Every structure is written in structure tokens, then in C-alpha cells.
Amino acid sequence: KSADTETSADWKKTLEKVIITNNLNENLVGVATSQVGYTESSRNYEYNAFAEKNNYTRYGEWYGSPYANWNTLFVSFCIDNANIKNAESLEKATAEAMQSSWENENLYYSADKYLGERGDVVFFDTNSDGRADRTGIAVFRTDNILIAIEGDVEGSVKAVTYMNPQ
């Protein structure tokens, strides 16, 4: 249980080179970019009630649930560290909860109505049920390409390229 654990001082070191300005989108991209390459612990894990292995992450530790699914916790961590006003109301543990919260705040726009831009939080419906399953932070966007930094992509924070995103 003590392998690979981190404190707030440890993860704050990863943010030292991020320049925080008044541009919230660029702040979010900067924080997300600073985390690329982070990998969940392979030595510190636990099994949940469904016998699924959950590895320790700094994002779960930051949120207070070190072994939680961490895709959206990564985005919440980035929001928290990007100097966004009222960040606590935007930070959620799951993509579905975050989407619902953002809809209630009139911050959520569907892809058919809004192309999106660099620094936007992107919601992915991977099982086509109409609700978000994953989140990421857009770092590049055109009509045909979306590059998003996401947490828990094969156990790491990675930039993922989507062709012809909808």
C-alpha cells in the first residue's frame, strides 16, 4: 500500500514549469501537458467488489480515493490546478457526473452544435448510450482532427488523436 504513493508536494513539483495566466484554456492545456507520461502504479493496487484491479494514482490520491477510476479525476485535477474560478463545482469523479454538472451550469455543448477549441474539456460517449464515459482536454482541433490529453489511456496520461471526430 505504500509503493509509489505521492503527497501534494510530489505532484505540485510536476506543475512547477506551468505558467498560469489569465487565459484559462491555455492554463488547462499547460497543466494537462505537464502530466503527459504519468503512469499509474503497477505495484500499488487493490481489487474492488467485482474483482477488478484498480491501481493507485496521484489523481485518485488528490481526490481522496487513491484507487478510483481516474480518467475524469485527471481532468478534475487539471481544472483544479489551472486557476479556474469556482473549480470545485466543475470537478467530478466520473465523466457522467461531470457532464451532468456542466449541463446544469450551461457549460456543456454537444459536438453537433459546437466544434470546440484548444483547452476545452471534451466528453466522450464510448458506448453510444447518450452519456459521457470518458473525458479529455483538447489540445488541437480542426474539422477533421481532435487531439486530446486523457488520463488512464492504457494506464497513462497520453495525447490521443481522433480522426473525423463527431
Side-chain angles (χ1 to χ4, degrees):
K1 290 282 186 182
S2 63
D4 300 328
T5 59
E6 295 183 340
T7 66
S8 60
D10 294 324
W11 63 67
K12 288 200 183 287
K13 287 180 188 173
T14 68
L15 301 167
E16 289 176 345
K17 294 183 181 179
V18 177
I19 298 171
I20 299 297
T21 68
N22 291 330
N23 184 326
L24 302 181
N25 283 42
E26 286 304 316
N27 293 351
L28 199 52
V29 168
V31 173
T33 301
S34 76
Q35 302 301 298
V36 171
Y38 172 82
T39 301
E40 66 189 7
S41 175
S42 62
R43 300 180 306 146
N44 187 347
Y45 55 87
E46 66 181 23
Y47 288 93
N48 66 19
F50 304 103
E52 298 166 327
K53 184 179 177 185
N54 293 319
N55 299 60
Y56 173 94
T57 67
R58 72 170 52 134
Y59 312 108
E61 182 73 44
W62 163 82
Y63 196 77
S65 188
Y67 302 97
N69 292 330
W70 60 277
N71 166 260
T72 300
L73 290 179
F74 160 73
V75 171
S76 289
F77 174 91
C78 293
I79 290 169
D80 188 69
N81 286 284
N83 199 32
I84 295 175
K85 185 177 179 183
N86 299 323
E88 300 82 22
S89 67
L90 305 176
E91 301 161 5
K92 301 296 175 199
T94 67
E96 186 172 353
M98 185 178 277
Q99 178 182 349
S100 178
S101 174
W102 287 45
E103 287 172 341
N104 291 338
E105 300 275 339
N106 293 317
L107 296 172
Y108 177 84
Y109 303 94
S110 63
D112 61 335
K113 295 179 181 165
Y114 177 67
L115 181 61
E117 62 184 48
R118 179 177 166 88
D120 283 347
V121 172
V122 183
F123 295 85
F124 299 98
D125 178 8
T126 60
N127 62 6
S128 301
D129 67 354
R131 300 304 299 169
D133 307 300
R134 293 186 59 79
T135 56
I137 297 169
V139 294
F140 180 80
R141 181 75 158 115
T142 67
D143 288 343
N144 300 317
I145 298 171
L146 167 66
I147 301 174
I149 297 177
E150 298 178 50
D152 201 9
V153 178
E154 300 170 343
S156 297
V157 175
K158 294 183 179 181
V160 181
T161 302
Y162 296 92
M163 302 303 289
N164 301 311
Q166 297 183 26

